[in-house]
């Protein structure tokens, strides 16, 4: 029925990767749907927990890309099919490169948030 994606930390260390993150994520979503013969599959992306919406630099490029892929004015083909879960408010500290200081609650919170976003996509009319 859908895919979950919570990745992007290593891309922040490379300006070229960060600058292409949005383009690559859009293509990745299309390719997954093609590879799994699931053209209507839903897709939920979670932002990196350490990154706030107003971030700059490569972290800002990545978080903006994560929100942009769910923006139907920018990607009409994703309307009702792609959602972004903002994980910063539920992160309990640390960063993704440090596995959120091994706070299991961060992983539970993000999983629940992504699950809720997926349920909303699946039940939306």
């Amino acid at each position: 029925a859908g895919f979950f994606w919570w990745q992007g930390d290593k891309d922040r260390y490379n300006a070229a990767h960060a600058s292409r993150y949005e383009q690559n994520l859009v293509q990745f979503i299309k390719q997954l749907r093609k590879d799994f013969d699931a053209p209507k599959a839903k897709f939920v992306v979670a932002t990196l927990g350490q990154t706030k919406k107003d971030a700059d630099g490569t972290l800002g490029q990545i978080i903006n890309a994560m929100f942009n892929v769910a923006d139907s004015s920018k990607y009409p083909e994703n309307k009702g099919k792609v959602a972004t879960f903002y994980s910063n408010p539920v992160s309990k500290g640390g960063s993704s490169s440090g596995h959120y200081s091994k706070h299991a609650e961060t992983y539970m919170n993000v999983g629940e948030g992504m699950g809720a976003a997926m349920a909303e996509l699946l039940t939306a009319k």
Side-chain angles (χ1 to χ4, degrees), residues 48-67:
L48 301 175
Q50 72 267 16
T51 309
K52 293 186 178 181
K53 286 183 180 179
D54 59 351
D56 55 10
T58 56
L59 280 172
Q61 288 176 304
I62 291 169
I63 195 169
N64 290 337
M66 291 172 162
F67 280 108

Side-chain angles (χ1 to χ4, degrees), residues 78-101:
N78 288 342
K79 185 176 183 177
K81 295 181 187 174
V82 178
T84 301
F85 175 70
Y86 181 43
S87 67
N88 179 267
V90 302
S91 180
K92 298 297 178 181
S95 69
S96 53
S97 64
H99 302 282
Y100 299 101
S101 300

Side-chain angles (χ1 to χ4, degrees), residues 8-24 56-63 65:
D9 185 73
K10 299 302 182 214
D11 294 294
R12 72 183 168 121
Y13 298 111
N14 183 307
H17 292 173
S19 70
R20 291 185 52 89
Y21 196 88
E22 183 173 336
Q23 180 181 352
N24 289 341
D56 55 10
T58 56
L59 280 172
Q61 288 176 304
I62 291 169
I63 195 169

